[in-house]
Amino acid sequence: GDAPLFDPGTDDLSTFPTFDREGREWLGLHPIVGIGAEDAEAFARWLSEEDGDVVYRLPTEAEWEKAARGVDRRIFPWGNRFDANFCVMAESSEVPPSMPRIGGSLTDVSPYGVGGLAGGVRDWCSWDATSEGAEGFYPARGGSYTNVEIYSRCASRSVRRSDHVGFNIGFRLAIGLSSEPE
């Protein structure tokens, strides 16, 4: 896998470091990054057990893309015309942006109200049932504060090793719905 993002040191392991190995400050309102896809899935299983009433999981690629594109199959979450100012990505300003806080862009929102899909951080997804995903690899969807326009498109995707960790990829959870009516 990749090098750890943080060096917790040996002083106090009960607190999360404020600065990463590159000297970037991390605040509580930042998205979770630096976690591999299998660890994100393990968190979803743990949360499901803790909750007891809800099954949490990574969204499939099709679910992620539907949440981003809506029914009109738009190119970007906000429509079909690109504007770097509508999301937090590498071309949004003259200086490279820092990782935005969750909900930091009011315009990077899909028709379903899902935010941060074109910028912010990329999302781990699970393979669609019809996909033949490569073992040990997971798809990542969306744009990030470190990416250029092509990654801000709703159809953009890449495939990474399941243990890949980075500053620009995280996860969001989907809620599993029962197929049986109550």
Side-chain angles (χ1 to χ4, degrees), residues 44-65:
R45 285 190 302 274
W46 172 84
L47 187 59
S48 297
E49 289 172 13
E50 286 292 307
D51 186 297
D53 293 327
V54 178
V55 176
Y56 298 94
R57 59 179 173 74
L58 293 178
T60 66
E61 284 195 277
E63 290 169 334
W64 189 99
E65 192 166 335

Side-chain angles (χ1 to χ4, degrees), residues 35-40 124 135-138 160-165:
I35 183 170
E38 289 176 347
D39 292 329
W124 286 119
E135 189 171 331
F137 289 84
Y138 279 74
R160 305 267 186 194
R161 287 178 27 158
S162 62
D163 62 351
H164 172 79
V165 297

